[in-house]
Amino acid sequence: MCRSIKTLREPYVPEVSRADIEAAALQYVRKISGFRAPAAHNAAAFDAAVAAVAEATATLLDQLVVRGGAPQRPAAAG
């Protein structure tokens, strides 16, 4: 599906920034919605979806434990 979204967990990326998470969330919502940029009447829903996906992604990365590796470090504050 979203081939340009980078893997954000260890060992692929040693440190994940908030910008990395938000970029991946934006790409995902663009792909799912079919809009690169939504019309004004859809902007709030689009932005809310990006924020929700980014938050879910940050939670996932914070909770993942990679076998043989160190626990995932929390995402940078931004």
Side-chain angles (χ1 to χ4, degrees):
M1 187 174 102
C2 298
R3 294 182 185 182
S4 62
I5 296 176
K6 300 184 299 184
T7 299
L8 296 180
R9 70 167 179 83
E10 289 184 32
Y12 301 104
V13 178
E15 190 170 320
V16 179
S17 71
R18 187 69 188 177
D20 292 330
I21 291 171
E22 290 173 2
L26 178 59
Q27 285 183 307
Y28 178 78
V29 172
R30 284 176 173 170
K31 183 70 170 189
I32 295 302
S33 69
F35 298 121
R36 185 180 184 312
H41 63 277
N42 287 326
F46 190 89
D47 293 343
V50 172
V53 170
E55 188 60 36
T57 301
T59 298
L60 173 65
L61 293 175
D62 288 346
Q63 294 177 1
L64 283 179
V65 176
V66 179
R67 289 186 182 182
Q72 180 74 34
R73 294 176 5 176

